[in-house]
Amino acid sequence: MSTNKEAKAEFDAAPWAGKTKRYDIVKEGTIALVFVFVLTVVLSLIMSSPDEPPLTFKGWAVSNPDNLYATAVQELAGTSGTATYGGPYNNASDGLNVGPLWLQKWAGVTHPIDAANDFVITPLSTQVLAPEIANAVATWKSAADSQRQAWATAYDDAITKVEGKLSDVAVGAYGPVPVLAQGLTDMAKSGALDAALLSQGGFFQTDNTKQILFFGDGAYLDDAGTAANLQGGTWGMMNETGRYPGQAWLWLYSFWYQIPPFNNGESKPIGANADAYIMVIMGLLSLGLILIPIIPVIRNLPMRIPIHRGIWRQYYQSQGIKRRKM
Amino acid sequence: MSQMWTAKLRNKWQKELPIEKLLPDDQPAYVSSWIYVFGVLTLATLAVIIFSGIILAFQGPAWYHISKTGKFVNSLHFWSVQLFFVFMVIHLWGKFWMAAWRGNRFATWATGAVAFIASIATAFTGYLVQTNFDSQWISFEAKDGFNSVGVGAWFNVTNLGQMLLLHVAFLPAILGVLTVVHVLMVRKRGVVPPIDSEPSPVNEASK
Ligand code: HEM
């Protein structure tokens, strides 16, 4: 039995000694190239390609100023998504884990973000400010940490209490926070915030981390994602804007987010750590793809399910080879 | 003489992949199915991707937002990538059902599979450097996955500069090398014989 297997393996590995036929691979390749090129040109002419302009802070400030304002307060109070994120941006949380593996924490803080300063104070400081706002910035900068925290948290809580309806916020000891938030909103309206977040007062910049993270802390990006049908719960990662095909090849990755326990953020430990578990699963499956030829059962599927009879039909017929039981 | 590294390399090369094997003008008689075309189509599409990508690279990532020509070249790049994945996936399934790793062809399969994964990484970074709403969205969403397993500490999807360099330099270079090795390995070993095939009378008047 095993010698039979070995003989087959040797036969499969040996140079082919049976019948051959003329076959012009260079011609085949050239025809393929011309075919594919023409097909691509035709598709491009008929369908073009997707290009929704990027969203801007200006757009956010104009269309939903209260939300940008409230988000700025969260950045100052340290309650925003970014401020509470953990690695690689800060130490505010341990991040996700897979069992005993706290990879997110272990990787450390490699892209430090201080939400209050990087998102609010530094951008404001790059501007020529109205005296009122300049005073607020100075007051914030000279105050003790505990004092800043008290102001910002009190205001953040007050806004949360009235569900973001700024006109209903009760009076309180908010220090310079309301003026800072208004200053940032006005700065965004003028279009100056986008660039200031990127450059942080410097010159060359190619890293959009701070812009993207601040953006995502608010509702503007999220709402736009929902409107464009891009949310993760609806296979979003795979989709493109408009009617274009997206990264359909990510279907297996997106798939896990659609089913329990991964789609339930409340369920512990897996749902709450879905991002990490799914990454690990996909890593293992990728390894599995590479190793298919040595994985028992799976590697024998092609012998058991006779699709090869169709692929090589001519050959089997001409040689009178019947299907063998394995 | 035979101790020379150069001579050794040449001899090994000549023995394992002589030009007749690299560019053969015949193939085993069983190589007659449309499924064999998909490897070549994948290769051809990769050439179109690289060609259109080089043009885009010359003009920078913002070109296609403002230029009609740029938009057209971007469309070429976009659609050739879509076709590339279609062809590659059909190729992959074809090779699976042919159990084309038989007869010492594991490395051919493995380089193909790694090329598939490298292609996904390359395409993914491509979506990130579109510099449009889609790339804003994808980078914000995708960062959590990478961060959650610590990878985000070095592979930062919200860093446009890093993604752009990986997309136009490092990842295509990897994919290119994998593809060359993959195809050379196919040529070296010859096309895998059919499942259940057996020796037949040699070459009788087959040409
Ligand atoms: C960059 C992507 C790829 C390119 C350009 C490519 C190209 C090719 C070409 C030109 C051939 C020879 C013609 C043919 O049999 O179709 C081939 C053979 C092969 N490919 Fe790929 N391929 C790619 C990806 C893959 C993937 C993802 C797999 C599977 C995981 C794979 C597995 C194989 C195998 C096993 C063979 C050998 C078939 C034999 O010996 O008969 N390839 N590939």
Side-chain angles (χ1 to χ4, degrees), chain A residues 22-73:
Chain A
R22 289 212 165 275
Y23 200 109
D24 195 342
I25 56 174
V26 172
K27 188 169 164 190
E28 185 191 18
T30 310
I31 294 173
L33 189 59
V34 172
F35 168 75
V36 168
F37 187 71
V38 171
L39 185 58
T40 309
V41 169
V42 170
L43 283 170
S44 302
L45 287 175
I46 301 178
M47 321 261 247
S48 187
S49 48
D51 192 16
E52 288 280 320
L55 302 179
T56 59
F57 281 88
K58 182 173 179 171
W60 185 6
V62 170
S63 76
N64 196 350
D66 287 3
N67 181 253
L68 174 52
Y69 182 101
T71 308
V73 175

Side-chain angles (χ1 to χ4, degrees), chain A residues 1-300:
Chain A
M1 180 64 193
S2 84
T3 47
N4 188 8
K5 254 190 187 164
E6 274 164 34
K8 270 203 73 55
E10 215 166 282
F11 172 76
D12 286 341
W16 180 247
K19 273 193 194 176
T20 61
K21 62 174 187 181
R22 289 212 165 275
Y23 200 109
D24 195 342
I25 56 174
V26 172
K27 188 169 164 190
E28 185 191 18
T30 310
I31 294 173
L33 189 59
V34 172
F35 168 75
V36 168
F37 187 71
V38 171
L39 185 58
T40 309
V41 169
V42 170
L43 283 170
S44 302
L45 287 175
I46 301 178
M47 321 261 247
S48 187
S49 48
D51 192 16
E52 288 280 320
L55 302 179
T56 59
F57 281 88
K58 182 173 179 171
W60 185 6
V62 170
S63 76
N64 196 350
D66 287 3
N67 181 253
L68 174 52
Y69 182 101
T71 308
V73 175
Q74 288 179 6
E75 304 297 357
L76 291 172
T79 54
S80 69
T82 303
T84 56
Y85 195 91
Y89 312 121
N90 50 46
N91 290 313
S93 101
D94 285 342
L96 304 192
N97 66 304
V98 179
L101 301 178
W102 293 82
L103 299 171
Q104 181 166 3
K105 187 165 108 181
W106 294 343
V109 177
T110 50
H111 303 289
I113 294 181
D114 170 350
N117 274 320
D118 294 347
F119 293 171
V120 184
I121 303 300
T122 305
L124 278 175
S125 307
T126 62
Q127 306 293 300
V128 178
L129 296 171
E132 187 200 10
I133 304 170
N135 275 338
V137 171
T139 311
W140 177 270
K141 280 184 176 167
S142 60
D145 265 345
S146 53
Q147 174 68 76
R148 291 178 191 163
Q149 193 64 43
W151 286 329
T153 308
Y155 195 42
D156 187 28
D157 289 348
I159 294 177
T160 311
K161 204 166 160 199
V162 295
E163 287 166 3
K165 206 153 174 275
L166 296 177
S167 50
D168 291 356
V169 176
V171 226
Y174 309 136
V177 176
V179 178
L180 291 173
Q182 191 57 53
L184 198 76
T185 308
D186 291 344
M187 180 179 169
K189 265 187 200 151
S190 79
L193 184 56
D194 297 86
L197 278 169
L198 177 65
S199 76
Q200 297 283 321
F203 187 82
F204 289 112
Q205 248 311 350
T206 57
D207 182 352
N208 302 69
T209 305
K210 286 173 184 164
Q211 287 165 297
I212 300 262
L213 284 174
F214 186 6
F215 225 68
D217 284 340
Y220 188 54
L221 180 65
D222 203 53
D223 290 348
T226 307
N229 202 10
L230 294 175
Q231 292 286 358
T234 54
W235 300 85
M237 281 292 298
M238 270 169 58
N239 299 343
E240 237 306 346
T241 51
R243 295 187 159 181
Y244 290 94
Q247 303 182 76
W249 43 90
L250 294 179
W251 71 271
L252 189 54
Y253 177 79
S254 285
F255 164 76
W256 301 106
Y257 283 96
Q258 318 306 317
I259 58 162
F262 305 101
N263 63 358
N264 179 5
E266 306 293 310
S267 103
K268 280 183 181 157
I270 298 181
N273 292 292
D275 285 330
Y277 274 90
I278 291 172
M279 271 287 168
V280 171
I281 290 174
M282 289 311 290
L284 292 176
L285 288 177
S286 302
L287 196 64
L289 174 69
I290 300 169
L291 297 180
I292 279 180
I294 57 170
I295 298 179
V297 183
I298 295 184
R299 70 169 173 197
N300 287 327

Side-chain angles (χ1 to χ4, degrees), chain B:
Chain B
M1 260 295 271
S2 61
Q3 289 307 307
M4 276 179 68
W5 293 9
T6 313
K8 271 192 186 164
L9 177 66
R10 187 187 56 222
N11 290 340
K12 191 170 151 62
W13 188 320
Q14 238 157 23
K15 195 165 141 255
E16 300 205 336
L17 195 63
I19 187 86
E20 294 78 17
K21 264 191 173 180
L22 188 63
L23 286 176
D25 50 17
D26 57 3
Q27 289 292 337
Y30 55 79
V31 184
S32 67
S33 161
W34 49 265
I35 195 70
Y36 286 104
V37 174
F38 284 92
V40 179
L41 282 175
T42 312
L43 195 61
T45 319
L46 184 58
V48 177
I49 294 175
I50 292 172
F51 165 75
S52 51
I54 288 175
I55 303 178
L56 287 175
F58 265 97
Q59 303 289 335
W63 179 45
Y64 83 102
H65 301 307
I66 47 171
S67 148
K68 268 209 161 131
T69 321
K71 180 86 180 208
F72 177 68
V73 178
N74 181 69
S75 303
L76 290 180
H77 202 58
F78 178 87
W79 285 107
S80 49
V81 170
Q82 294 290 337
L83 290 173
F84 175 72
F85 274 95
V86 171
F87 294 150
M88 182 167 36
V89 168
I90 297 175
H91 175 65
L92 190 163
W93 279 106
K95 295 306 163 191
F96 175 75
W97 291 113
M98 293 153 93
W101 53 76
R102 284 170 297 127
N104 280 345
R105 289 176 180 82
F106 175 78
T108 314
W109 172 273
T111 45
V114 178
F116 177 63
I117 296 162
S119 304
I120 289 178
T122 314
F124 175 70
T125 50
Y127 275 81
L128 288 174
V129 302
Q130 294 175 98
T131 55
N132 60 13
F133 168 64
D134 199 37
S135 41
Q136 280 179 321
W137 177 258
I138 295 175
S139 61
F140 183 74
E141 291 290 302
K143 74 178 193 316
D144 297 333
F146 292 105
N147 289 341
S148 72
V149 288
V151 175
W154 298 279
F155 181 79
N156 178 11
V157 293
T158 53
N159 183 335
L160 176 66
Q162 185 187 12
M163 292 305 116
L164 187 58
L165 288 171
L166 291 178
H167 179 72
V168 302
F170 179 70
L171 289 168
I174 297 278
L175 188 57
V177 170
L178 283 167
T179 305
V180 169
V181 172
H182 181 69
V183 174
L184 288 185
M185 228 135 36
V186 178
R187 293 285 21 110
K188 180 181 149 187
R189 305 222 185 278
V191 181
V192 74
I195 294 172
D196 290 342
S197 63
E198 48 204 15
S200 62
V202 179
N203 252 350
E204 7 99 9
S206 61
K207 298 202 173 170

